[in-house]
Amino acid sequence: MVKLKIPDHQVAGHQAKTGIIGPLIDDSGKFYKPLQDDERGSNELAFYTSLYSDPRIPSNILKFFPSFHGTEVVDASDGSGLHPHLVLEDIVSNCTNPSVADIKIGSRTWHPQSSEDYIRKCLQKDRETSSIKLGFRISGLRSMGPTNQLWQPHRKVLMDLSAEDAMLILRKFVSSDGNVDEPDCVFASRVFGPLLEELLELKKWFEVQTIFHFCSCSVLVVYDKEEIEEKKSARAVVKLIDFAHVVDAKGAIDHNFLGGLCSLIKFVKDILAGLSDVQTSNPKP
Amino acid sequence: MVKLKIPDHQVAGHQAKTGIIGPLIDDSGKFYKPLQDDERGSNELAFYTSLYSDPRIPSNILKFFPSFHGTEVVDASDGSGLHPHLVLEDIVSNCTNPSVADIKIGSRTWHPQSSEDYIRKCLQKDRETSSIKLGFRISGLRSMGPTNQLWQPHRKVLMDLSAEDAMLILRKFVSSDGNVDEPDCVFASRVFGPLLEELLELKKWFEVQTIFHFCSCSVLVVYDKEEIEEKKSARAVVKLIDFAHVVDAKGAIDHNFLGGLCSLIKFVKDILAGLSDVQTSNPKP
């Protein structure tokens, strides 16, 4: 059996480290996500199983999903024995020191078919976090500088962000050191320029797709500062993750995801516009 | 004092006819909306009072709001004596037999600052109607044919529409007779063509505006079938109405309204695309 280990760079979701069953990775770039016992597990498995053979999904959109390698029964991270796992692409496997942001899109993380109990829990979290105000929440984030200083704000810090807070955190995410009050945003154009292009491509699809409603799904943004500095061709990776709550669209676009996506796009655009303002007001000699 | 009467063509909102205090109109094209006693009234008055002098609202967007003529104390519709009213533009005053659709935009009609009781009530209604599924609900609709046949579906019929139901009702709205199973959509291109242009103009603004969040606000679509048939220049009127629950955007776009607006746009586009399909498959001799 292949040797698996607990990933170092996870920023959100169920984490193996906390004693409960969490994801694992191998050395070949695969990510083993424990299949949840309830309908969340079967739902996510069904989503991945049909996704890559669904002729309705355009190829330029398929690239936003992690590649899928079926399921495998492996030893669970908590030592509780064998457990079925989804085998997915490990999105950060090519990075030595990845900077990662997990941004849960949509002001509503539940869908109408959910149980009353689940709706109540989700609604409370959507209200306690920035989801209802901003249309998204930053579920987790880490920023690793070139000299290996790690900045990973605590979940509590990310909980109830105002627009101003979220803007500052996103600016810190693309700075040489996130742990400062005045972020330098030196990686902003290299990371948020391509990110904006990708989000706009997603937006175009979400304006017309009536296949899925992606409840509680995240946009994951990954980049490596060292690589970005060294290689011109290096760029941020943008993926959609977490499909346990994807439901049939029943003929309507996913207005909840689209609205949140447009809100995130506005933040990214404003950060990029802020850069050119600075460049204009402080021209280089 | 000017002579006021109860309007004939109202399709949603508090109606004078039902015994409670409702709006009135005069002969000069003004609409008198009773000021609600609580913060809803003061909120809507504050919105209208500042709107037309707010330099942040572009002039091409101001046209979507009914014109505002201050407040006036007039005899309430229910005979209970003098009551303050907002004096607004009567949007249907130029139509003899208006067809009217009141479409409440957004899957969430409450904002986070609302009381728990109000949130509970709104959430229940958002779940019982099509708001959460489609991102909008048709609050009321009337369609008046050229030979004066009125089709005005009961509120219960409009309550819990699927995407397919909503599509059919919107197609009936632009047909010569709404009261049939196979609507002819003869007014679709004349009404929904311009409507689409206006909705796209609004969308462009909602993608960037961080001034207001428009909770529980409607798009009102008004046209006159007879006029549309007779005059080439006649077009549908599109207005935003109901601002009792507009709140400060606090730095984020109104992702809730924008998502719902994009969903409505998709329906309108699909109806227009359906027309050209028919024209292509049934070419005129």
Side-chain angles (χ1 to χ4, degrees):
Chain A
M1 193 181 277
V2 66
K3 175 92 186 131
L4 302 180
K5 59 186 182 194
I6 292 171
D8 286 329
H9 311 314
Q10 203 187 339
V11 296
H14 301 248
Q15 294 184 19
K17 284 175 182 174
T18 51
I20 52 168
I21 184 168
L24 296 162
I25 53 170
D26 65 15
D27 287 333
S28 76
K30 294 204 179 84
F31 183 86
Y32 296 74
K33 182 175 179 175
L35 255 181
Q36 289 170 293
D37 290 329
D38 53 17
E39 60 176 335
R40 290 175 294 178
S42 54
N43 205 22
E44 186 154 32
L45 174 58
F47 177 79
Y48 272 115
T49 305
S50 67
L51 177 70
Y52 287 95
S53 56
D54 191 328
R56 299 169 301 175
I57 320 285
S59 57
N60 70 316
I61 295 302
L62 274 182
K63 71 164 186 260
F64 288 109
F65 296 91
S67 56
F68 172 60
H69 308 281
T71 59
E72 218 168 292
V73 176
V74 298
D75 270 324
S77 67
D78 63 350
S80 62
L82 293 171
H83 189 92
H85 288 65
L86 291 169
V87 187
L88 302 169
E89 172 186 2
D90 179 11
I91 300 162
V92 305
S93 69
N94 291 327
C95 298
T96 321
N97 285 315
S99 293
V100 182
D102 179 316
I103 306 171
K104 200 184 277 281
I105 305 292
S107 63
R108 175 174 43 82
T109 54
W110 51 276
H111 52 74
Q113 298 99 294
S114 313
S115 72
E116 288 304 314
D117 194 43
Y118 185 76
I119 291 177
R120 199 167 41 245
K121 271 186 213 162
C122 287
L123 184 62
Q124 190 182 343
K125 202 149 186 203
D126 296 344
R127 291 178 66 188
E128 283 169 0
T129 62
S130 67
S131 295
I132 285 183
K133 281 175 292 175
L134 309 184
F136 63 83
R137 64 177 179 249
I138 302 175
S139 296
L141 182 137
R142 59 175 266 145
S143 168
M144 180 65 109
T147 51
N148 289 346
Q149 67 279 39
L150 172 69
W151 174 65
Q152 182 158 2
H154 193 273
R155 285 185 191 202
K156 279 187 187 159
V157 174
L158 298 174
M159 271 291 274
D160 186 23
L161 301 181
S162 67
E164 211 178 333
D165 299 334
M167 183 66 97
L168 184 58
I169 284 185
L170 291 172
R171 291 177 66 234
K172 286 180 173 186
F173 176 63
V174 288
S175 291
S176 57
D177 184 359
N179 203 13
V180 293
D181 292 335
E182 290 290 339
D184 56 28
C185 293
V186 288
F187 299 101
S189 64
R190 284 295 302 283
V191 175
F192 283 167
L195 173 65
L196 179 60
E197 279 172 39
E198 309 250 42
L199 296 180
L200 289 173
E201 195 172 359
L202 268 180
K203 177 187 170 216
K204 223 169 162 178
W205 184 58
F206 272 92
E207 284 176 346
V208 296
Q209 75 90 4
T210 54
I211 310 166
F212 300 118
H213 283 193
F214 290 89
C215 295
S216 206
C217 164
S218 287
V219 162
L220 196 76
V221 186
V222 178
Y223 78 102
D224 187 312
K225 285 179 186 169
E226 214 164 343
E227 209 190 340
I228 287 266
E229 278 189 326
E230 283 169 11
K231 286 189 226 160
K232 269 206 164 165
S233 64
R235 54 186 280 162
V237 172
V238 182
K239 295 277 178 184
L240 296 174
I241 58 164
D242 296 341
F243 308 110
H245 303 282
V246 173
V247 291
D248 190 294
K250 294 187 181 163
I253 64 164
D254 188 350
H255 47 86
N256 178 59
F257 190 99
L258 177 59
L261 186 66
C262 289
S263 178
L264 178 60
I265 286 171
K266 178 67 164 57
F267 277 84
V268 172
K269 276 189 174 170
D270 283 354
I271 291 171
L272 290 169
L275 299 178
S276 46
D277 287 354
V278 172
Q279 279 161 11
T280 315
S281 57
N282 298 320
K284 284 190 182 149
Chain B
M1 194 182 277
V2 63
K3 175 93 185 127
L4 302 180
K5 59 187 182 194
I6 291 171
D8 287 329
H9 312 312
Q10 203 186 340
V11 295
H14 301 252
Q15 294 183 21
K17 283 175 179 172
T18 51
I20 52 168
I21 184 168
L24 297 162
I25 54 169
D26 67 14
D27 288 333
S28 75
K30 294 204 179 82
F31 183 86
Y32 296 74
K33 181 175 180 176
L35 255 182
Q36 289 170 293
D37 290 329
D38 52 18
E39 60 176 336
R40 290 175 294 179
S42 54
N43 204 23
E44 186 155 31
L45 175 57
F47 177 80
Y48 272 115
T49 305
S50 66
L51 177 70
Y52 287 95
S53 56
D54 191 328
R56 299 169 301 175
I57 320 284
S59 57
N60 70 317
I61 295 302
L62 274 181
K63 70 165 186 261
F64 289 109
F65 296 91
S67 55
F68 173 60
H69 308 282
T71 58
E72 219 168 290
V73 175
V74 299
D75 270 324
S77 68
D78 63 350
S80 62
L82 293 172
H83 189 93
H85 288 64
L86 291 169
V87 187
L88 302 169
E89 173 186 2
D90 180 10
I91 298 162
V92 305
S93 69
N94 291 327
C95 299
T96 321
N97 285 316
S99 293
V100 183
D102 180 316
I103 306 170
K104 200 184 277 280
I105 306 292
S107 63
R108 175 173 43 83
T109 54
W110 51 276
H111 53 74
Q113 298 97 298
S114 313
S115 71
E116 288 303 315
D117 194 44
Y118 185 77
I119 290 177
R120 200 166 39 244
K121 271 186 212 161
C122 288
L123 185 61
Q124 191 182 343
K125 204 151 184 200
D126 296 344
R127 291 178 66 187
E128 283 168 359
T129 62
S130 68
S131 294
I132 285 185
K133 281 175 293 177
L134 308 184
F136 63 84
R137 64 179 179 248
I138 302 175
S139 296
L141 181 137
R142 58 175 268 145
S143 167
M144 179 63 111
T147 51
N148 289 347
Q149 67 279 36
L150 173 68
W151 173 65
Q152 182 157 3
H154 193 274
R155 284 185 192 204
K156 279 186 188 160
V157 174
L158 298 175
M159 270 292 274
D160 187 24
L161 301 182
S162 67
E164 210 178 335
D165 299 334
M167 183 66 97
L168 183 59
I169 285 184
L170 290 172
R171 291 177 66 232
K172 286 180 172 186
F173 176 63
V174 288
S175 291
S176 57
D177 184 357
N179 203 13
V180 293
D181 291 335
E182 290 290 339
D184 56 26
C185 292
V186 288
F187 298 102
S189 64
R190 284 294 303 280
V191 175
F192 282 167
L195 172 64
L196 179 60
E197 280 172 38
E198 309 250 43
L199 296 181
L200 289 173
E201 196 171 358
L202 267 180
K203 177 187 170 217
K204 224 170 161 177
W205 185 59
F206 272 92
E207 284 175 346
V208 296
Q209 74 90 5
T210 54
I211 310 166
F212 301 118
H213 283 193
F214 290 88
C215 295
S216 207
C217 163
S218 287
V219 162
L220 197 75
V221 186
V222 178
Y223 78 101
D224 188 312
K225 285 179 186 171
E226 213 164 346
E227 209 189 340
I228 288 267
E229 279 189 324
E230 284 169 10
K231 286 189 226 161
K232 270 204 163 166
S233 64
R235 56 185 282 161
V237 172
V238 183
K239 296 277 178 187
L240 296 173
I241 58 165
D242 295 341
F243 308 110
H245 302 283
V246 173
V247 291
D248 190 293
K250 294 187 180 163
I253 64 163
D254 188 351
H255 47 87
N256 178 58
F257 190 98
L258 177 59
L261 185 65
C262 290
S263 179
L264 179 60
I265 285 171
K266 178 66 165 57
F267 278 84
V268 172
K269 276 189 174 171
D270 283 354
I271 292 171
L272 289 169
L275 298 178
S276 47
D277 287 352
V278 172
Q279 280 160 9
T280 314
S281 56
N282 298 318
K284 284 187 181 152

